[in-house]
């Protein structure tokens, strides 16, 4: 028995929470019902045979009563308990899924950067489905086997202790036959699990790199990788099946020999008038429950292995640290009254690597338009991500003259509209995508934002207008159209600070000029930060900051800035 699996098993059950009582009562009833039926039928066989053997009518009546009790259990109690159990399991699984999803939403940006998207999707879909079979069958199977085994043992002892002892001896033999294969089977099962995990990984790679694979004619490479994992999984399953075949064959041999031996011993006892035929039949029909307890219990966690491993991957996600609601408080010292954003001695490095910023300081006054330029990797996007509170820096960042730690992160993000370097679209309609910026916005406001972002005319040219679907990640749209929808979304949010991180990089020059016209129109009404590599984007900025290696290499108004400061940064 693997202790780590036992730990996962207990942890799954700890998630039941408030449904505990209904769940365990229904499990208890189903666990009692199944062994009871077996035991009742065994006694019913004994009584019915004895009724004929001894010509005893009252025994026949007792047989009928036992059958009636069995019918009530089988037709009413068991189905009802199963129904209650299924409802409880569905409720619990639904709550677990909610909990995991809520947790996933509160994970920090760094989690999604460190873990592959496809891996997280697997945890939230395939792996989370592992909880259902564990909760449905886990404890139930163990308890049913145990109750049936113990119930059969007691009943058999009542009928004949000599035959019971013989049956016990054969059960131990069946256990040993199983034990001989258990280690090998567990090993194969481990390999099979790893191969299946390899298959999922190969699928994930296909999902992530499908388009690139086509562009580089690398489908063969993906296929070869997948085939290899697939072949390994099949051969592990094959090896498992062979061992299973030998194990089952040997167990069945022991079981059948034991039945025959007990039947012969029983009949000898009947001939010697030490036992009635009914008891012999009863014992033989109970014997399965006893042997099964010896054979099945050891392999129970191995059978659950795949599901427990899936649950383990979900637990790993649940154990990941969530984002803080706010960062530690720090009071910046050098703030002017008009500052909307202040960076004071800000230091940051990703995972203790080379610092991106080392004591970076600057300030941005209200309703100014600031352009940040600099070579690739100079820290422009990081500066914006720090502003959005994605990571916690050292030093101080302040908004409206108040330290970052004075706000909840959600408050900070509420003040900012962000258009990222890569346009991100939901698989929905254009309307849904724009309204993501403000779910309560009216159609009029949506159209106004779309017009400002210069996408309205295009939307109107589509047959379904704003209800047109954009496809997975906006696949039905061009790069420029996607980016314009992102801009419309950001404008609809109507936050006082707008961040553009190379938002116009995928738009052609003419379109970019259009968007710059829009920016000109809103200039003075919002505090705007544009990160760009293009000269025309910075010409209207009130102030330009040149970043180089995480430091300010120069700053000033356009025209006053040293030509050499600009030219290496722009295209
Ligand atoms: N998530 C991350 N994890 C680790 N390092 C990162 C991460 N994002 C950026 N970096 C590193 O931080 C530095 C600054 O990156 P950043 O993306 O801020 O540059 P940038 O100025 O926006 O560049 P570009 O003009 O290419 O967009 C780079 O050296 C980069 O390798
Ligand atoms: Mg960048």
């Amino acid at each position: 028995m693997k202790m780590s699996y036992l730990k996962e098993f207990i942890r799954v059950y700890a998630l039941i929470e408030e449904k505990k009582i209904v769940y365990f009562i229904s499990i208890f009833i189903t666990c009692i019902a199944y062994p009871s039926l077996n035991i009742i039928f065994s006694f019913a066989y004994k009584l019915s045979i004895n009724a004929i053997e001894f010509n005893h009518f009252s025994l026949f009546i007792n047989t009928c009563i036992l059958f009636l009790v069995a019918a009530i259990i089988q037709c009413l109690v068991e189905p009802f308990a199963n129904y209650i159990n299924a409802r409880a399991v569905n409720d619990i699984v639904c709550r677990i899924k909610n909990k995991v999803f809520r947790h996933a939403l509160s994970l920090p940006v760094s989690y999604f950067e460190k873990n592959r998207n496809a891996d997280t999707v697997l945890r939230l879909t395939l792996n989370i489905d592992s909880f259902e079979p564990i909760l449905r069958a886990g404890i139930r199977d163990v308890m049913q086997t145990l109750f049936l085994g113990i119930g059969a043992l007691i009943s058999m002892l009542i009928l004949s202790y000599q035959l019971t002892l013989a049956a016990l001896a054969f059960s131990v033999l069946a256990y040993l036959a199983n034990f001989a294969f258990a280690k090998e089977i567990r090993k194969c099962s481990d390999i099979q699990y790893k191969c299946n995990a390899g298959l999922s990984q190969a699928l994930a790679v296909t999902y992530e790199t499908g388009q690139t694979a086509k562009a580089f004619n690398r489908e063969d490479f993906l296929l070869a990788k997948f085939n290899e994992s697939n072949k390994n999984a099949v051969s592990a399953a094959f090896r498992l099946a062979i061992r299973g075949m030998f194990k089952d064959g040997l167990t069945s041999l022991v079981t059948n020999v034991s039945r025959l031996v007990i039947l012969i011993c029983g009949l000898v006892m009947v001939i010697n008038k030490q036992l009635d035929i009914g008891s012999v039949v009863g014992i033989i029909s109970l014997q399965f429950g006893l042997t099964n307890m010896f054979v099945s219990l050891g392999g129970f966690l191995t059978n659950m292995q795949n599901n427990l491993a899936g649950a383990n991957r979900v637990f790993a996600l649940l154990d990941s640290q969530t984002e803080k609601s706010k960062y530690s408080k720090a009071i910046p010292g050098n703030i002017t009254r008009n500052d909307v954003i202040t960076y004071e001695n800000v230091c940051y490095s990703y995972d203790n690597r080379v610092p991106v910023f080392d004591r970076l300081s600057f300030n941005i006054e209200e309703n100014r338009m600031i352009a940040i330029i600099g070579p690739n990797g100079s820290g422009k996007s990081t500066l914006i991500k720090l502003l959005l509170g994605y990571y916690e820096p050292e030093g101080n960042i302040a908004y409206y003259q108040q330290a970052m730690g004075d706000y909840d992160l959600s408050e900070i993000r509420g003040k900012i509209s962000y258009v990222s370097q890569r346009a991100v679209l939901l698989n929905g309609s254009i309307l849904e995508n724009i309204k993501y910026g403000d779910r309560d916005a009216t159609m009029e406001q949506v159209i106004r934002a779309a017009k400002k972002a210069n996408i309205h005319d295009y939307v109107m040219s589509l047959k379904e207008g704003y209800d047109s679907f954009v496809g997975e990640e906006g696949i039905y749209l061009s790069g420029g159209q996607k980016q314009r929808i992102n801009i419309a979304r950001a404008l609809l949010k109507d936050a006082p600070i707008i961040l553009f991180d190379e938002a116009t990089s995928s738009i052609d020059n003419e379109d970019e000029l259009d968007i710059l016209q829009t920016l000109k129109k809103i200039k003075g009404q919002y505090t705007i930060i544009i990160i760009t590599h293009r000269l025309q984007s910075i010409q209207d900025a009130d102030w330009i900051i040149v970043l180089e290696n995480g430091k300010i290499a120069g700053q000033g108004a356009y025209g006053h800035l040293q030509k050499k400061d600009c030219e290496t940064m722009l295209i």
Side-chain angles (χ1 to χ4, degrees), residues 181-197:
F181 289 96
K183 211 169 150 195
E184 267 296 293
I185 286 187
R186 196 157 59 227
K187 221 164 86 187
C188 290
S189 177
D190 276 343
I191 295 173
Q192 191 191 24
Y193 172 73
K194 281 192 188 120
C195 291
N196 282 336

Side-chain angles (χ1 to χ4, degrees), residues 376-377 379-382 421 501-502 531 533:
N376 292 127
K380 304 181 296 295
S381 296
T382 308
Q421 203 159 355
D501 186 355
E502 309 228 24
I531 289 181
H533 281 286

Side-chain angles (χ1 to χ4, degrees), residues 113 350-351 353-354 356-357 374-383 385 391 421 501-502 531 533 547:
E113 285 175 350
Y350 287 98
D351 295 328
R353 287 200 270 176
V354 185
V356 181
F357 300 125
N376 292 127
S378 55
K380 304 181 296 295
S381 296
T382 308
L383 185 145
K385 288 184 198 164
Y391 321 110
Q421 203 159 355
D501 186 355
E502 309 228 24
I531 289 181
H533 281 286
L547 266 188

